[in-house]
Amino acid sequence: MINEITEYKKSRIIIGELLENFPNYIPDKYNDTIIIITDTNIKKYHGEKFPLVPIIEIGTGEKIKTQKTVDTIISKLIELGADRHSYLVGIGGGIVCDITGYVASVFMRGIRFGFVSTSLLSQVDASIGGKNGINHTGFKNMVGTFNHPDFVICDTELLATLPPDEIRNGMAEVVKHAIISDAAMLFFVKKEYENILKLSHEHISYLIQNSIRIKSSFVIADEKEVGERKKLNLGHTFGHAIEKLCNISHGSAVSVGIVEEAELSFKFGYCTRETVTKITELLRSLGLPTEISFDKDQLFNAIKKDKKQNRDKLDFIFIEDIGRVTIKQVKYAELLKHI
Ligand SMILES: NC(=O)c1ccc[n+]([C@@H]2O[C@H](COP(=O)([O-])OP(=O)(O)OC[C@H]3O[C@@H](n4cnc5c(N)ncnc54)[C@H](O)[C@@H]3O)[C@@H](O)[C@H]2O)c1
């Protein structure tokens, strides 16, 4: 069954649609100007479903989410004769979507674009919300834009080729959404995690739809992240720093980040020990890491350099209960005391 949600002004999010049908969502006048950006894995597994249009293939991994890759793509766009009427379609996980959205925002001062989202993490989170960007010297998403694609297709059939670790990574963002605003979804994950990890269509579709509904509600209320949308950064204050220092996947880093931030929520008196235990056990049952060794000072410096800093204080997301979080400014020094 195909379900559609319209996000921020005009972005159509279509869940259950197939990759091969994406041209139906592009106005006819762009028929001859579509260019696909994808990565080597997606091309290998699903390239036969692509229409006969030029393809720009990039590598994989967080290390390629850089200006260098953007420059290479732009050179290829120029070689292909792309102009302001070209239409970019990013087919891939969060990395392809983040890069495609950024290139589309800056190439020729902005051209139109859409996504076919292929990983669970990108279907429940990364392809939604209009944030695009790249890393700089290892620091996450330091350069980017807010710019919404015309459409996001979440083809759930593509998840069949996704490695199990990547399913787990996607689940970290699902758990984040549940902690922020949907206790029922957290209990659903707790009860149904075996079916979820087996990719039962019914279970996965529910999680994707619900996650998109949650994320979209924050984006519609606060597109530019000046207030409520910051809650979506739960697990990411620590998560981004851990991802940089420990060289682990985004989803795994977010999982450890959620646990660290839950511990701090307890230490600052916002939630009970029982809440921290529930969250930690759930992430563990999904096969996600909940702890990692790190150098406290290095981690602290990485957090300070993260873009969510605000002079000597940062906006920190404290968990009050499952389904309820609050944003409070905390002094770095106070945070350091409790890590
Ligand atoms: N823009 C946002 O709002 C937002 C939100 C969350 C995360 N992100 C970003 O998203 C990125 C993480 O996304 P991700 O986990 O999708 O990473 P990813 O794009 O690296 O994909 C993970 C791996 O799975 C492979 N893959 C993807 N779909 C596949 C499929 N259907 N079959 C086989 N292999 C497949 C990819 O080639 C890659 O090796 C991070 O850079 C993170 O910062 C952005």
Side-chain angles (χ1 to χ4, degrees):
M1 197 175 73
I2 296 178
N3 279 295
E4 186 165 332
I5 298 170
T6 302
E7 196 190 53
Y8 202 71
K9 291 180 189 156
K10 65 172 178 57
S11 205
R12 296 173 71 186
I13 304 162
I14 312 108
I15 306 149
E17 181 56 287
L18 300 176
L19 183 163
E20 47 270 46
N21 292 337
F22 82 74
N24 298 342
Y25 295 85
I26 300 177
D28 288 346
K29 66 175 180 173
Y30 294 101
N31 276 352
D32 299 328
T33 64
I34 298 170
I35 297 172
I36 289 175
I37 299 178
T38 193
D39 76 22
T40 44
N41 287 333
I42 306 302
K43 173 105 181 306
K44 180 170 92 188
Y45 290 115
H46 301 288
E48 82 286 355
K49 298 175 198 157
F50 293 5
L52 288 175
V53 301
I55 298 169
I56 299 175
E57 189 181 320
I58 60 174
T60 59
E62 199 62 36
K63 287 208 162 56
I64 64 129
K65 201 172 134 181
T66 60
Q67 187 62 43
K68 193 165 166 229
T69 303
V70 170
D71 290 344
T72 308
I73 294 173
I74 289 174
S75 298
K76 290 204 175 136
L77 287 173
I78 294 167
E79 257 173 51
L80 289 166
D83 61 19
R84 297 188 84 174
H85 305 288
S86 297
Y87 198 107
L88 291 190
V89 180
I91 306 184
I95 292 186
V96 167
C97 292
D98 276 5
I99 292 177
T100 303
Y102 181 62
V103 170
S105 304
V106 296
F107 181 69
M108 303 254 168
R109 297 200 173 82
I111 60 174
R112 291 180 68 175
F113 68 107
F115 296 147
V116 179
S117 180
T118 66
S119 70
L120 182 61
L121 191 141
S122 107
Q123 295 188 359
V124 298
D125 193 346
S127 63
I128 313 299
K131 274 189 186 177
N132 313 289
I134 50 171
N135 306 331
H136 182 74
T137 59
F139 290 103
K140 295 274 302 176
N141 308 325
M142 282 289 151
V143 182
T145 62
F146 284 100
N147 190 9
H148 293 259
D150 292 336
F151 63 86
V152 180
I153 288 176
C154 297
D155 178 348
T156 47
E157 290 189 9
L158 302 178
L159 301 179
T161 55
L162 196 61
D165 278 352
E166 297 299 342
I167 300 291
R168 298 178 206 287
N169 285 336
M171 286 308 296
E173 300 282 15
V174 170
V175 171
K176 176 195 80 177
H177 287 141
I179 298 169
I180 294 170
S181 78
D182 190 348
M185 183 159 76
L186 194 117
F187 296 119
F188 176 84
V189 174
K190 187 170 177 228
K191 188 161 160 267
E192 301 290 347
Y193 72 92
E194 284 174 346
N195 285 320
I196 293 165
L197 294 178
K198 278 190 223 147
L199 285 182
S200 140
H201 179 74
E202 184 198 336
H203 293 77
I204 287 286
S205 298
Y206 163 75
L207 293 181
I208 295 171
Q209 274 184 48
N210 224 28
S211 284
I212 293 176
R213 180 186 57 74
I214 292 167
K215 181 157 184 184
S216 291
S217 68
F218 282 98
V219 174
I220 290 164
D222 173 26
E223 194 216 357
K224 296 284 163 62
E225 198 176 295
V226 289
E228 280 293 283
R229 184 173 178 170
K230 289 181 185 171
K231 289 183 176 172
L232 294 171
N233 292 327
L234 176 72
H236 287 65
T237 303
F238 275 74
H240 278 170
I242 290 167
E243 193 177 347
K244 174 175 168 42
L245 295 178
C246 306
N247 205 12
I248 58 172
S249 68
H250 182 73
S252 296
V254 168
S255 175
V256 179
I258 289 173
V259 174
E260 290 296 332
E261 292 174 25
E263 285 287 349
L264 285 171
S265 301
F266 169 67
K267 287 179 184 163
F268 278 79
Y270 285 94
C271 73
T272 62
R273 168 54 64 199
E274 195 197 347
T275 300
V276 182
T277 307
K278 260 191 213 160
I279 292 169
T280 311
E281 283 176 357
L282 179 66
L283 290 165
R284 249 185 230 143
S285 68
L286 290 165
L288 282 160
T290 53
E291 53 188 13
I292 198 161
S293 314
F294 51 74
D295 179 282
K296 191 170 153 178
D297 292 330
Q298 275 185 358
L299 184 96
F300 195 67
N301 285 334
I303 289 177
K304 270 191 124 173
K305 287 219 173 83
D306 192 81
K307 65 187 181 310
K308 288 174 286 296
Q309 69 171 337
N310 183 9
R311 298 201 181 106
D312 62 328
K313 293 183 195 144
L314 81 164
D315 288 324
F316 200 82
I317 323 301
F318 288 105
I319 299 168
E320 293 180 314
D321 199 353
I322 309 285
R324 203 175 69 240
V325 298
T326 181
I327 310 167
K328 298 278 178 216
Q329 288 224 318
V330 187
K331 286 202 164 130
Y332 280 103
E334 216 182 319
L335 197 67
L336 184 61
K337 258 196 307 195
H338 286 87
I339 293 179

